[in-house]
C-alpha cells in the first residue's frame, strides 16, 4: 500500500500535466511527494487516535464494525482535501490501529468483521473487473485492426517490463542492503535467489491499476478529448490478464523450484505466546475470582482447566486440584447454575489477561503480528462461545 500511495501521487501529477491543470518541474514533483507523504501520515495518525477514543465508548459489535467501515473514508477524504496522499493516510491509520486497537476492539466485533471484510474485498475486486470489462467494450468498439494491434504490442511490452523490473529490483537491492547493513540480525534475515523468486514472480496487477486507469479523465482542461486514454485502458486491462494467466499458471512451478522451507520461528513464537498467555491466565485466577466473588468450587474448576493446559505445555508442576459434587435436588441445581454463571464470568475475565500477555509479546517484538492475530482469533472465538449468540445476531 505504501508503494501504491507513491505510485498514485505520481499518477496524480501525470494526469494533472496531461489535462493541462498542472505545470511543474522535477523540484515541484519532489515537493509534492514530500508534502503528500507528510500530510497523509499526519492525517492518518490523528484519525487513528480519534478512532481509538471513539471505539473505547462503543459497546455494540455492529456499531464497532460500522466504525471500521467508515474509518478508511474518514482518513482518505481529509487527506485529499489538503492535497495529501489519501492512500498513505489510510495505510498510516491502519498500521497505527493494529498497534493500539487490539486492546479496545471487542472479540465479537473482530469475529463479525473477519467474514464481512473477506466478502467485501472479494466483491469490490470483482466489481472493478466488471467495470473495466464494460469500459473495454466501448474502448475496442470502432477501433481499426492497426490500433488494436498497437494496443496488443504495448500490452506485451509493458507486461515484460513489469516482470523484468521486479526481477531486476529483487535481485539487486538485497545485495546493496547487505553491503551497507552489516548487523548480525540483518544477516539472519537474508534469503537466497530461490527464496526471493516467488515474491518477485507473484507481482500481479489488480484493483489499484484498474482504479487508476478508470480515473484517467476523458477530457482536458480546455474541453477537448484526452488523447491516449483508450490506449491506457486497453493496455491496463491487457497487462492484468496477461500477468494473471502467465504468472498465475506458472506460480506453482516457481514455488516448487524455490524449495521454500517452513519458518520454524513462527511455530516457536506461537508456542511461546500460548504458554505465556496460559501462564498469565493461571496467575490471574485468584485475583479475578476475588473481584467477581467466585465460589471456591468454580475457582477450582477453572484452575483445573488451566492446570491441564499447563501440564500439556510442560510449563510447571501440577498444583493440587479438587472436584465438588452436589446432590441432585432443586437447591443444588440452582447452586450449579449460579456457579456456572460465575465460572463463565471468571473465564471471560481471564481472557483479558491472556490477551494482554499476547499483545505485550508483540509490543516487545518477541512475536510478530501474524502470530498475534492467530492467537487473538482463538481467544475471540473462545469469548464468543462463552458469551453465546445475541438475539439479533
Amino acid at each position: 500500500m505504501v508503494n501504491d500511495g507513491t505510485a498514485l501521487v505520481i499518477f496524480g501529477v501525470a494526469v494533472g500535466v496531461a489535462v493541462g491543470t498542472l505545470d511543474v518541474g522535477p523540484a515541484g514533483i519532489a515537493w509534492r511527494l514530500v508534502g503528500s507523504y507528510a500530510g497523509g501520515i499526519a492525517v492518518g495518525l490523528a484519525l487513528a487516535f480519534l478512532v481509538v477514543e471513539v471505539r473505547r465508548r462503543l459497546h455494540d459489535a455492529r456499531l464497532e464494525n460500522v466504525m471500521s467501515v467508515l474509518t478508511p473514508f474518514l482518513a482518505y477524504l481529509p487527506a485529499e482535501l489538503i492535497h495529501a496522499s489519501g492512500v498513505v493516510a489510510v495505510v498510516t491509520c491502519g498500521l497505527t490501529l493494529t498497534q493500539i486497537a487490539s486492546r479496545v476492539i471487542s472479540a465479537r466485533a473482530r469475529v463479525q468483521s473477519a467474514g464481512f471484510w473477506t466478502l467485501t474485498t472479494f466483491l469490490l475486486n470483482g466489481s472493478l473487473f466488471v467495470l473495466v470489462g464494460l469500459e473495454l467494450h466501448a474502448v475496442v468498439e470502432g477501433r481499426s485492426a492497426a490500433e488494436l494491434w498497437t494496443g496488443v504490442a504495448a500490452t506485451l511490452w509493458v507486461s515484460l517490463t513489469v516482470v523484468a523490473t521486479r526481477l531486476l529490483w529483487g535481485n539487486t537491492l538485497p545485495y546493496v542492503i547487505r553491503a551497507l547493513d552489516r548487523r548480525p540480525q540483518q544477516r539472519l534475515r537474508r534469503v537466497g535467489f530461490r527464496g526471493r523468486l516467488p515474491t518477485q514472480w507473484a507481482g500481479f496487477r489488480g484493483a489499484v491499476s484498474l482504479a487508476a486507469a478508470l480515473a484517467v479523465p476523458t477530457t482536458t482542461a480546455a474541453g477537448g478529448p484526452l488523447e491516449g486514454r483508450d490506449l491506457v485502458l486497453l493496455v491496463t486491462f491487457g497487462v492484468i490478464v496477461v500477468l494473471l494467466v502467465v504468472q498465475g499458471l506458472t506460480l506453482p512451478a516457481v514455488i516448487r523450484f524455490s524449495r521454500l522451507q517452513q519458518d520454524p520461528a513462527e511455530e516457536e513464537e506461537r508456542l511461546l505466546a500460548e504458554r505465556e498467555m496460559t501462564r498469565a491466565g493461571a496467575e490471574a485466577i485468584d485475583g479475578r475470582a476475588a473481584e467477581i466473588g467466585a465460589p471456591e468450587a468454580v475457582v477450582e474448576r477453572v484452575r483445573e482447566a488451566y492446570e491441564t493446559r499447563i501440564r500439556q505445555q510442560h510449563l510447571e508442576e501440577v498444583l493440587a486440584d479438587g472436584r465438588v459434587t452436589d446432590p441432585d435436588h432443586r437447591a443444588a441445581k440452582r447452586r450449579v447454575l449460579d456457579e456456572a454463571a460465575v465460572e463463565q464470568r471468571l473465564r471471560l475475565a481471564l481472557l483479558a489477561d491472556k490477551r494482554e500477555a499476547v499483545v505485550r509479546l508483540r509490543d516487545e517484538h518477541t512475536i510478530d503480528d501474524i502470530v498475534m492475530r492467530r492467537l487473538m482469533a482463538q481467544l475471540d472465538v473462545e469469548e464468543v462461545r462463552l458469551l453465546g449468540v445475541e438475539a439479533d445476531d
Side-chain angles (χ1 to χ4, degrees):
M1 290 299 292
V2 173
N3 291 338
D4 292 339
T6 305
L8 291 175
V9 170
I10 298 174
F11 166 78
V13 173
V15 170
V17 173
V19 300
T21 59
L22 189 63
D23 185 14
V24 293
I29 295 175
W31 174 249
R32 283 178 175 272
L33 280 173
V34 173
S36 294
Y37 263 87
I41 292 172
V43 171
L45 288 174
L47 183 71
F49 287 104
L50 177 62
V51 168
V52 168
E53 293 303 315
V54 172
R55 298 194 77 150
R56 288 185 193 277
R57 293 161 174 79
L58 297 177
H59 305 289
D60 187 301
R62 290 162 296 189
L63 293 178
E64 290 186 70
N65 285 318
V66 168
M67 191 66 201
S68 73
V69 173
L70 294 177
T71 297
F73 298 97
L74 294 175
Y76 184 88
L77 294 176
E80 290 294 318
L81 288 175
I82 65 172
H83 303 291
S85 174
V87 175
V88 172
V90 173
V91 171
T92 302
C93 181
L95 290 176
T96 306
L97 288 176
T98 60
Q99 303 299 310
I100 300 175
S102 55
R103 293 185 171 92
V104 299
I105 300 176
S106 69
R108 196 184 293 275
R110 280 194 293 266
V111 172
Q112 190 180 90
S113 67
F116 169 78
W117 282 114
T118 300
L119 178 61
T120 301
T121 303
F122 176 79
L123 291 176
L124 288 175
N125 280 319
S127 299
L128 280 172
F129 280 95
V130 171
L131 289 174
V132 170
L134 295 173
E135 188 77 13
L136 184 66
H137 176 73
V139 171
V140 174
E141 188 177 18
R143 301 290 169 182
S144 65
E147 291 175 320
L148 294 178
W149 279 114
T150 299
V152 170
T155 295
L156 295 177
W157 178 249
V158 172
S159 300
L160 179 62
T161 302
V162 168
V163 174
T165 300
R166 288 182 64 90
L167 291 173
L168 179 63
W169 182 265
N171 290 291
T172 54
L173 187 63
Y175 299 102
V176 175
I177 295 175
R178 293 181 187 183
L180 298 177
D181 189 352
R182 311 299 295 179
R183 295 175 300 166
Q185 56 265 42
Q186 194 281 328
R187 296 179 183 178
L188 295 175
R189 293 194 293 265
R190 291 179 178 178
V191 179
F193 168 75
R194 285 178 179 264
R196 294 192 303 267
L197 186 58
T199 303
Q200 300 160 12
W201 195 252
F204 309 137
R205 304 297 91 189
V208 175
S209 300
L210 293 175
L214 290 172
V216 176
T218 57
T219 60
T220 64
L226 179 61
E227 295 294 334
R229 182 181 186 275
D230 291 347
L231 181 61
V232 169
L233 288 173
L234 180 61
V235 171
T236 301
F237 186 78
V239 169
I240 292 171
V241 172
V242 169
L243 295 187
L244 282 176
V245 172
V246 175
Q247 292 181 276
L249 293 178
T250 57
L251 186 57
V254 171
I255 294 176
R256 288 193 296 270
F257 170 78
S258 300
R259 300 175 185 173
L260 297 176
Q261 302 295 322
Q262 185 175 3
D263 183 9
E266 181 177 328
E267 181 64 16
E268 292 173 2
E269 291 176 8
R270 184 187 65 80
L271 294 174
L272 169 64
E274 285 188 348
R275 291 195 298 268
E276 183 64 18
M277 71 181 187
T278 303
R279 182 196 61 78
E283 292 179 353
I285 289 176
D286 292 332
R288 293 292 186 177
E291 289 178 8
I292 64 178
E296 185 63 26
V298 173
V299 176
E300 286 304 316
R301 282 201 296 271
V302 175
R303 194 191 309 279
E304 181 183 350
Y306 272 84
E307 287 172 355
T308 300
R309 184 59 179 158
I310 289 173
R311 286 197 299 271
Q312 293 173 348
Q313 297 172 335
H314 307 289
L315 285 177
E316 57 190 41
E317 296 294 328
V318 180
L319 302 175
D321 60 349
R323 295 179 180 273
V324 176
T325 59
D326 294 312
D328 188 15
H329 53 74
R330 185 171 301 176
K333 287 182 178 180
R334 171 56 56 187
R335 186 162 60 253
V336 169
L337 291 174
D338 291 341
E339 289 180 357
V342 177
E343 179 179 348
Q344 179 190 40
R345 292 174 58 195
L346 177 55
R347 290 179 182 275
L348 287 170
L350 293 173
L351 288 178
D353 298 280
K354 295 168 76 171
R355 281 197 183 90
E356 185 62 31
V358 175
V359 174
R360 175 172 51 79
L361 290 174
R362 191 280 307 275
D363 293 343
E364 293 172 352
H365 304 292
T366 305
I367 64 175
D368 63 26
D369 280 327
I370 294 175
V371 175
M372 186 200 74
R373 287 197 298 271
R374 289 177 179 173
L375 293 176
M376 293 289 276
Q378 293 177 15
L379 295 175
D380 291 344
V381 171
E382 182 179 353
E383 180 172 334
V384 171
R385 179 182 62 81
L386 290 171
L387 289 173
V389 179
E390 290 182 341
D392 294 336
D393 283 357

